[in-house]
Every structure is written in C-alpha cells, then in structure tokens.
Amino acid sequence: MNKRIFTLTILTLAIALTTSAQYRPTRPTYPSRGVRTHSYYSRTPITDSYFGMRVGLGVATVNSDAPELDGKSARTGLEAGVAAGFQIVPASPLYFETGLYYTEKGGRSGSGPGKFTYSLDYLEVPLLLKYRYITPDHLSIEPFMGGYVACGVGGKIKNYGNRVAYSSFGDGAFRRFDAGLKLGCGLSYDIFYVGASYDIGLANIGQDLFDDTHTGCLNLTVGLNF
C-alpha cells in the first residue's frame, strides 16, 4: 500500500510541475464602476465547470453492534480518482461536484490471537454541493456537503487466531453496497487543490440484519483542477 501511495504521489507532483510550467493565469477582469461587487469577484475568474485529479490517504473504521466486526482501531488506506464540477446557476459560486474514486476502507479489532483486520475496497461516486468562495489572492475556499454511493470491489478479512484470510464480500461477510453522507472543505490555489472530508456510512454493510455495521472514513487529498 505504501509503494502505491508513493508512486501516485510522485506521479501527481510530476504532472503538477509540468502543468504549472505551462500555466498562465487568466488576465483579471473587474466589474464596472458603480456595479455592486460580490465576494466571488476576484483575480481568479469563475468558470462554469472544472475537472480534477485527486490522490490521498484515508483513515477508516468499521463500527458494528457485532463484537467480532467492530473495528475499534483505524485502518489507513489509499484514495485516488477524478472529480468534475458544474456550476448550478450562472454567475453563482455554487457547484455540483461528482466523480469516481477508488478508496480503501476497513478497520481492525481485537489483539493477539483474537485479532481481525478488515480491508474494504470500494469504487465510490460522491454527489456534492460545493460553494467556492474566491479571494483576490487566487485562493478559493470550498466547503461542501452531500452524499456518496459505493460498490465493494475487493478486500480481505484476516483472522490472525485461525491464520486464515477470506474475501471481505464473500458469503457471511460484508455487503458490497455502501452509501452515506460526505462533509468537508477544500482549498484551491490556481490549479492546485488540497481537501479534507469525512464519510459517514449510513448503509448497513453487515450480512446480519440484527446487527448494524457501518463504515467511517477521514480523507485527506491533494490534486489538480483544470
């Protein structure tokens, strides 16, 4: 996992340096005298859409009524994907953002012979409303809220006591479908982006209907917007 994160980070930085060397900021336009200005008028122009690349880390947990599934310890994993934003109302800083991400969630429970680890790997689609507050210094503050839907595509449950490992989404394990709320905030400077968000799993991903099992994940990402 560390090698994948290192490789993706180096690739993102290489693309960023190449792009920034060719990037030229748009010449600023200012409103006419006597026209009332708003906070989103700045040297960074409002665009009606954007496309972005993202890579980062997630700190995830599994919370469950079932003791054997309740991952009290966090699991660190990779998050990588693409984002696309579209302006909802012309000349307004309110956007709808979606995308496609590969994200590694899960958790750990127990210790010693009773130790379990759960890796839950998803393809995730966020559905967000984002407000872009743009300052005169090219900095954009972007709080957002909304939801996400996800489908499990891989992962392992490891039982250290019995020395066995099996699929996280096999019989008697976790359900593939997950959905929940996503809250966070991003910062953009020219084409560069950093952000933090938290996923609150609302879907019961456990096979046992009598025990609620949910995911949770804090994500920290960096990327580029075009």
Side-chain angles (χ1 to χ4, degrees):
M1 188 270 290
N2 292 332
K3 290 182 178 179
R4 282 180 288 170
I5 295 172
F6 178 77
T7 301
L8 283 170
T9 303
I10 293 299
L11 179 61
T12 301
L13 290 175
I15 295 172
L17 291 174
T18 302
T19 307
S20 62
Q22 301 173 351
Y23 177 72
R24 296 293 183 271
T26 303
R27 184 177 180 84
T29 57
Y30 300 96
S32 303
R33 182 176 297 177
V35 176
R36 185 178 179 182
T37 61
H38 298 276
S39 61
Y40 52 83
Y41 283 112
S42 68
R43 292 186 178 90
T44 304
I46 289 286
T47 57
D48 59 1
S49 63
Y50 59 88
F51 174 81
M53 298 186 302
R54 306 282 187 264
V55 63
L57 292 175
V59 181
T61 56
V62 173
N63 301 300
S64 179
D65 295 337
E68 66 275 12
L69 297 181
D70 190 34
K72 295 180 175 62
S73 299
R75 181 202 179 210
T76 302
L78 170 70
E79 181 177 66
V82 294
F86 307 94
Q87 197 171 21
I88 295 176
V89 179
S92 166
L94 188 62
Y95 287 73
F96 171 73
E97 182 176 297
T98 186
L100 181 63
Y101 290 83
Y102 169 77
T103 179
E104 296 177 340
K105 298 183 179 182
R108 296 179 296 169
S109 66
S111 60
K115 181 180 177 180
F116 279 81
T117 62
Y118 316 104
S119 61
L120 303 170
D121 304 335
Y122 293 96
L123 286 180
E124 183 175 297
V125 176
L127 304 167
L128 307 173
L129 285 178
K130 173 177 283 191
Y131 185 90
R132 304 181 76 193
Y133 179 89
I134 303 179
T135 73
D137 300 316
H138 294 254
L139 180 67
S140 174
I141 304 170
E142 305 174 1
F144 57 85
M145 64 180 298
Y148 72 89
V149 292
C151 179
V153 294
K156 293 288 185 181
I157 298 176
K158 295 181 180 180
N159 182 336
Y160 286 80
N162 295 335
R163 297 181 179 272
V164 295
Y166 46 94
S167 172
S168 295
F169 300 107
D171 293 338
F174 296 98
R175 296 176 179 175
R176 291 187 183 273
F177 176 76
D178 190 20
L181 301 177
K182 182 183 287 284
L183 307 171
C185 187
L187 294 175
S188 293
Y189 183 80
D190 288 338
I191 65 171
F192 302 100
Y193 177 86
V194 296
S197 64
Y198 191 79
D199 291 353
I200 305 171
L202 298 181
N204 181 8
I205 63 169
Q207 295 284 3
D208 188 345
L209 296 178
F210 297 99
D211 291 318
D212 283 341
T213 303
H214 303 277
T215 60
C217 190
L218 172 66
N219 297 302
L220 304 173
T221 58
V222 297
L224 303 172
N225 285 334
F226 303 98

